[in-house]
Amino acid sequence: LALRALSLVLGLAAFPFLFALARRTGGRGAVVPVGLFLALSPPAVYYGTEGRMYSLLWLSVLAFAWATVRLRARPGPELLAVFGASALAGFLTHYFFLFVFAPLCAWLLWRPGRAARARVLLVLALVLLGLLPWYLELPRSLAAWRVTGEWLTWEPYGFRRGTAALELFLGFLTGGARDLWGEHERAATLALTTFALLCVTWLVRTRARGFAGAPLVLVLWLAGALAGPLVFDLVRGTYTVAVPRYAAAGLPAALLLAGVLLARLPRAWRFGFVGLILLAWSPNLERMHTRAARSWCPLREVRSGGGFHLPI
């Protein structure tokens, strides 16, 4: 409890920003589905209950995206403060926040609405100034990456970069992770089929209208998060694209996009699709909570003292 409580609190704190973004980008009909998705998505449950930084990363990303969207309509000192503080927190939480930050800032500066570009640039300059003491140490930190050692430079067996990049995105939809809690093949098929039907239904009913405004932020956010590991690997010669957690910042965007699609459908259809998606995710949630050891970490066995021996 002591290890995971902070992640749970930060995860709950992210929901108001999630709901506000869902309503802003998809309307009232997107709010409940997106809330259910973040609460019950297997990647959200897995990473959001670890003693790592992912809940704080989602809180920072959601607050930053919300402030970015709101600044176009109602610029003010309070929103500029949230915009700057969430950006600073995001950068100090996870290096890959950069790949969400950059496209959202570009969108805001390209289409500022009522926000003054000069004020936005001033806040961004203050954020960079605040980061300077820490990021001056970035080259030395990356050179001495003690936690991961050299394993990110080892090419995984059967690795294909394009396939790995596609699996980063599909993992948001299927709720499976082959090397962590596993993946139920039939459930994955059901999830992908449901999302494919949702997209087709949305296209038929709306003729792809509705992505020119605020929902474009979600597309840029998701694209940046998925491109991040590819760019990092190109620069560093690593294989982070094969590790799903390095794209975790894009999970809320993927769920919000699903909410945008659902909000355009009649209520009965909407909750039918939501039910199918949650049904498809349930086998992976069951695996996560019933398997003996979680991602090769025998925490339950060590806690219970059930005869598990650690090598010394």
Side-chain angles (χ1 to χ4, degrees), residues 115-193:
R117 287 192 179 95
R119 290 187 178 183
V120 173
L121 288 171
L122 175 61
V123 172
L124 294 178
L126 292 174
V127 168
L128 295 177
L129 187 63
L131 292 173
L132 191 60
W134 175 259
Y135 272 72
L136 285 175
E137 298 293 319
L138 179 59
R140 190 166 66 88
S141 173
L142 290 176
W145 208 340
R146 294 182 298 276
V147 175
T148 56
E150 297 298 323
W151 69 271
L152 286 176
T153 62
W154 300 341
E155 181 175 347
Y157 177 77
F159 176 77
R160 294 181 181 178
R161 199 168 298 277
T163 302
L166 179 61
E167 287 179 350
L168 285 181
F169 171 65
L170 294 182
F172 294 155
L173 308 181
T174 64
R178 192 174 300 111
D179 295 329
L180 295 176
W181 57 90
E183 186 170 63
H184 192 286
E185 292 186 4
R186 291 182 180 177
T189 301
L190 175 60
L192 292 178
T193 302

Side-chain angles (χ1 to χ4, degrees), residues 53-230:
M53 79 300 292
Y54 293 106
S55 287
L56 179 56
L57 175 63
W58 289 331
L59 174 58
S60 301
V61 168
L62 283 163
F64 180 73
W66 173 80
T68 301
V69 171
R70 292 292 292 155
L71 274 173
R72 294 187 69 249
R74 295 183 62 185
E78 299 85 359
L79 276 175
L80 285 169
V82 174
F83 179 77
S86 57
L88 187 63
F91 273 110
L92 294 177
T93 300
H94 202 287
Y95 292 136
F96 281 37
F97 177 79
L98 170 66
F99 300 108
V100 175
F101 171 84
L104 295 193
C105 285
W107 177 81
L108 180 60
L109 293 172
W110 173 48
R111 302 184 63 182
R114 297 177 62 187
R117 287 192 179 95
R119 290 187 178 183
V120 173
L121 288 171
L122 175 61
V123 172
L124 294 178
L126 292 174
V127 168
L128 295 177
L129 187 63
L131 292 173
L132 191 60
W134 175 259
Y135 272 72
L136 285 175
E137 298 293 319
L138 179 59
R140 190 166 66 88
S141 173
L142 290 176
W145 208 340
R146 294 182 298 276
V147 175
T148 56
E150 297 298 323
W151 69 271
L152 286 176
T153 62
W154 300 341
E155 181 175 347
Y157 177 77
F159 176 77
R160 294 181 181 178
R161 199 168 298 277
T163 302
L166 179 61
E167 287 179 350
L168 285 181
F169 171 65
L170 294 182
F172 294 155
L173 308 181
T174 64
R178 192 174 300 111
D179 295 329
L180 295 176
W181 57 90
E183 186 170 63
H184 192 286
E185 292 186 4
R186 291 182 180 177
T189 301
L190 175 60
L192 292 178
T193 302
T194 303
F195 277 109
L197 286 173
L198 173 60
C199 290
V200 171
T201 305
W202 177 80
L203 285 170
V204 170
R205 291 184 61 87
T206 67
R207 298 180 183 177
R209 293 190 298 269
F211 271 91
L216 179 60
V217 173
L218 306 179
V219 176
L220 295 173
W221 170 1
L222 178 59
L226 293 173
L230 290 168

